[in-house]
Amino acid sequence: PNYVENFVTSTADKFQESKSLQCEYENGEGEAKETIFQKCIMFLFDMVKDKYYNYVIQKILECNYKNHASILFSRLKDMLYELQQDKYGSRVFQKMIEVFHVHGSPQFNSLFGYIKGNLDEMFYHENGNFVIQKCLEVYSSVTLSYLIEKIYESVSLIIISAI
């Protein structure tokens, strides 16, 4: 379809275009999925922070046609800080946590390592906070024990400083 060729550069009705792309990626044939994916790769860093197009990236992660999710992850893993800071990027970060939640996978190790190293900052950031909430929803109890202990410490410090 024509919208596939122009979806990022067009400003006309981004919401509708985003919905169309999500539907086409989820329900379309292999060639359509591949075309959408290749366009998304070209504009990935803009799309993850876009109010509407971040949903297209999330849909690709969710569907994982031909290992597209892992390819996206490899492109996004070096910008986790930017994703956690951004309102829409943090939603893509949350989707990566959902998709790559299996303990021990390379993507899990990379995501969890990042979260462990940046937990304090994420705890206090309006968007990073949602990333932590997603971890609490999807990670196993073994993984959560570390996060809960660190969150408890942060909450305790807040209470002590308020007294």
Side-chain angles (χ1 to χ4, degrees):
N2 189 30
Y3 65 82
V4 173
E5 294 299 316
N6 300 313
F7 74 92
V8 174
T9 55
S10 171
T11 55
D13 203 2
K14 287 172 110 178
F15 172 77
Q16 195 58 45
E17 279 185 314
S18 172
K19 294 298 272 183
S20 295
L21 287 165
Q22 291 171 61
C23 185
E24 181 72 20
Y25 188 85
E26 184 172 29
N27 302 315
E29 298 298 318
E31 187 177 326
K33 289 180 186 204
E34 202 59 49
T35 301
I36 292 168
F37 179 71
Q38 292 306 321
K39 283 286 188 177
C40 289
I41 288 293
M42 289 172 46
F43 298 100
L44 182 61
F45 302 113
D46 294 324
M47 291 180 74
V48 295
K49 295 181 177 185
D50 185 86
K51 181 177 183 176
Y52 301 110
Y53 293 127
N54 80 85
Y55 291 106
V56 178
I57 302 304
Q58 290 183 58
K59 182 58 71 179
I60 292 171
L61 287 165
E62 189 179 297
C63 293
N64 196 21
Y65 174 77
K66 285 193 171 180
N67 216 24
H68 286 171
S70 293
I71 296 167
L72 285 180
F73 180 83
S74 70
R75 301 278 178 110
L76 294 172
K77 70 181 178 186
D78 292 330
M79 63 177 292
L80 294 177
Y81 180 80
E82 291 85 358
L83 292 178
Q84 87 172 42
Q85 297 283 317
D86 185 75
K87 180 177 183 178
Y88 306 110
S90 69
R91 294 174 184 168
V92 172
F93 197 144
Q94 291 171 60
K95 184 57 76 174
M96 288 194 300
I97 289 169
E98 272 182 40
V99 170
F100 300 113
H101 71 278
V102 177
H103 191 80
S105 73
Q107 295 90 349
F108 169 87
N109 292 340
S110 183
L111 287 169
F112 191 67
Y114 175 83
I115 292 165
K116 280 175 57 174
N118 295 280
L119 189 62
D120 288 337
E121 182 180 346
M122 293 172 80
F123 184 76
Y124 293 102
H125 192 276
E126 64 182 327
N127 297 315
N129 191 293
F130 288 109
V131 173
I132 294 171
Q133 288 178 40
K134 183 55 71 178
C135 292
L136 295 173
E137 289 175 24
V138 301
Y139 282 164
S140 70
S141 58
V142 172
T143 304
L144 287 178
S145 62
Y146 174 83
L147 292 178
I148 291 171
E149 182 180 320
K150 293 299 282 178
I151 291 168
Y152 178 78
E153 290 172 15
S154 294
V155 171
S156 296
L157 289 174
I158 292 170
I159 292 170
I160 291 170
S161 67
I163 296 177

